[in-house]
Each structure stands twice: as C-alpha cells, then as structure tokens.
Amino acid sequence: MDEDRRSFLKKAGGAAMGLSCGLPLFSVGCSELREGTARGESSNQLAMVIDVQKCLNDDLQRACIEACHEAHNVPAISDPKEEVKWIWSEDEYRHVFPDQAHAHTPTALAHEPILVLCNHCANPPCVRVCPTQATWKRKEDGIVMMDMHRCIGCRYCMAACPYGARSFNWRDPRETDENGAYRYFGEAGPPSDYPTRTRGVVEKCTFCAERLRDGGIPACVEAANARPDGQGALTFGSLADPDSDVSRLLREHHTICRRVNLGTGPNVYYLL
Ligand code: SF4
Ligand code: SF4
Ligand code: SF4
C-alpha cells in the first residue's frame, strides 16, 4: 500500500469507528435523509418491481442470481464472511421487511427466501459517506454506481448501507496454477468480459448499467422472463414514464419497499 493511501486510511480510522458504532450517521442523519427523499430522486429514476409471489421459487431465484453473477464475474464464495453479493436470497421475510413483519404474516411468505439487491436509493447514505466519490448517484437515471478504480476500500459505504447491499473483496481473484496458467477464483477464466475486480474494493449491483447502455435490460430480469414461470416476476423501467411497466404496476398494485422509515428512498419495490 502506498504511503498516501496508508496515511489517509489512518486519519479516516476515527470516522470509520464512529460509523461502525452507528451513532453519527443514523442518529443524526435520518431526519435529513427523510426530508431529502423527494430531493434525491432522479427525474428519470430507474426502478425495479419484484413480484414476491412469482419469485417464491428457488429455481427462479437461482436463475436470476446466476445470470447476474455470470454477467458480472461475481465469484461463488461460500464463506459468508467473504461472500460477494450483487443479488441474493434473504431467507426470512422479517429480515427483509423488519418493519412490516408481524406475528400473523402468512406462513407461505414468512419463511420463504426473497430476492434482494441494491435499492438504488433516492438518498443513498453510501454515497454520502464515500470520501473518494467512488460511488455516486447518476443524475440521468438515478443508478448508484461504483468506480472500482477510485475505491480505496475504506468500507464506510458498507457501514452506511442499511441493506447490506455492498460486498468487500477480501481475496485476490487472480492467481496462476502450477503451470503458470491464469486462474480467476480458481477457474480457467472469468465467465464474461465484464471488468474483474481486485482485492480491497467494494462492489454491488449497478442495475446492469453496461447492458442498459447497449439497449439491453438487466440480466436478472432477462433470466426471469426467459422462464415460463418467471414472466413478470421482475420488472424494470423508468418511474418518469407513466406508460412503463414499473409505473403501471406501482399505480395498479400496493407495493412495499425495504425500511422506508430510514428515508433512503429505495427504488426496488416489492409486490406482495
Ligand atoms: S441499497 Fe445500500 S448500497 Fe444501494 S443505494 Fe441504498 S444505501 Fe447505497
Ligand atoms: S469502500 Fe470505496 S466506495 Fe465505499 S466508501 Fe470507501 S472508497 Fe467509497
Ligand atoms: S440489475 Fe443487473 S447488476 Fe443488479 S442484480 Fe440484476 S443482474 Fe445483477
């Protein structure tokens, strides 16, 4: 590690301690975040609607996760302490919606895994705490982006995200085998040409910004729609377009978001 980086991290240590204790950000910042929900929304905010009932299917969830991981070279690391997650199944309703669960939540829902990912919040606390602007919210569509080259791995953003939507790379993904051949997390090569990351940076879902740029749709949405049982399970589009499928679903159905009381303004909606 070079000296500048080392001394920055040292100076920043005190602030990081504060964040990990949770006091400065959430005790002081929640009212500010709540006030700012409308202010932080992009005028062309992209959003996703997850139909929970249609997604109560392990195979469907697995297909969505695998599609994302394959498209973005997300490694399969079984150790939960080192796992890298862009989209994953959270095992209990009360873990996903702690402010919505109650003693009479239907059994069919209460103990079924639910797909979760970065919410591309209107007021993302992860962005507020990043000292290098390695993570930022795009004005044109509200996607919360990551620049791995600017990331110094301080993990403030991980402490700030109340959804656990960010992962730190603990391992060096690149190695060579005994024959000197390049290996990526033990495999012959990464499955796609999406840029691979290095040890010491944070990563997360980007709403497939690279696919959107090329006129595509998110890989997880495409994977769901490719299955007969997955039609409409995941819907993606612009909230600014009243005719988009997400706008229509939100207009016609009651949906909930994760921990709205925090004022982060999630843009992933759940249709129960
Ligand atoms: S879900 Fe977490 S990582 Fe994603 S924008 Fe919101 S605070 Fe940031
Ligand atoms: S880990 Fe990277 S993205 Fe997160 S706050 Fe630090 S520099 Fe920013
Ligand atoms: S939107 Fe793209 S990056 Fe985000 S979880 Fe789905 S496939 Fe992964």
Side-chain angles (χ1 to χ4, degrees):
M1 185 186 298
D2 64 64
E3 197 51 41
D4 282 352
R5 188 169 157 123
R6 192 195 307 276
S7 67
F8 171 81
L9 288 174
K10 200 171 163 189
K11 283 181 200 157
M17 282 297 292
L19 276 179
S20 65
C21 291
L23 292 175
L25 180 70
F26 291 113
S27 61
V28 176
C30 282
S31 58
E32 288 173 45
L33 289 172
R34 224 172 277 123
E35 279 171 18
T37 299
R39 193 175 64 230
E41 192 84 40
S42 163
S43 58
N44 188 32
Q45 179 70 51
L46 294 172
M48 188 181 292
V49 177
I50 296 179
D51 186 322
V52 174
Q53 297 292 342
K54 287 183 181 170
C55 286
L56 294 180
N57 175 330
D58 290 348
D59 290 342
L60 174 65
Q61 293 198 8
R62 205 171 303 116
C64 295
I65 294 167
E66 282 174 5
C68 177
H69 286 192
E70 193 166 317
H72 302 107
N73 297 320
V74 179
I77 299 175
S78 53
D79 182 347
K81 288 190 197 136
E82 298 192 355
E83 193 181 9
V84 177
K85 301 185 294 188
W86 285 39
I87 179 171
W88 70 102
S89 294
E90 197 67 64
D91 58 351
E92 294 269 340
Y93 183 87
R94 65 194 163 94
H95 295 156
V96 182
F97 304 111
D99 49 357
Q100 304 273 345
H102 52 73
H104 302 285
T105 301
T107 316
L109 210 53
H111 304 296
E112 293 297 330
I114 295 175
L115 280 177
V116 289
L117 61 155
C118 169
N119 292 288
H120 297 275
C121 303
N123 289 297
C126 55
V127 168
R128 283 164 43 120
V129 300
C130 179
T132 65
Q133 298 182 333
T135 191
W136 75 100
K137 186 168 177 66
R138 284 207 309 207
K139 283 198 173 56
E140 64 267 36
D141 54 17
I143 295 180
V144 174
M145 294 290 291
M146 265 305 301
D147 181 344
M148 314 298 171
H149 300 291
R150 294 183 74 108
C151 179
I152 57 170
C154 65
R155 291 184 281 154
Y156 290 3
C157 55
M158 292 179 69
C161 173
Y163 307 101
R166 292 173 164 265
S167 301
F168 184 73
N169 280 274
W170 292 98
R171 295 193 199 174
D172 187 350
R174 299 173 184 83
E175 55 191 28
T176 48
D177 65 15
E178 61 278 9
N179 302 315
Y182 168 70
R183 314 287 289 172
Y184 181 75
F185 285 109
E187 302 294 328
S192 81
D193 56 7
Y194 191 84
T196 58
R197 281 72 70 190
T198 57
R199 182 168 59 181
V201 300
V202 162
E203 59 184 84
K204 68 167 198 75
C205 156
T206 60
F207 264 175
C208 283
E210 79 289 355
R211 293 170 66 98
L212 302 181
R213 181 196 59 213
D214 296 338
I217 59 171
C220 55
V221 178
E222 188 174 88
N225 284 332
R227 297 171 56 96
D229 57 355
Q231 305 287 313
L234 269 58
T235 305
F236 184 79
S238 170
L239 294 177
D241 175 3
D243 297 325
S244 72
D245 287 338
V246 288
S247 295
R248 182 183 52 75
L249 284 170
L250 295 179
R251 201 167 47 239
E252 295 176 358
H253 301 273
H254 176 62
T255 50
I256 60 173
C257 292
R258 299 185 66 195
R259 304 185 69 179
V260 283
N261 56 323
L262 296 179
T264 52
N267 282 298
V268 174
Y269 297 83
Y270 290 85
L271 175 58
L272 300 177

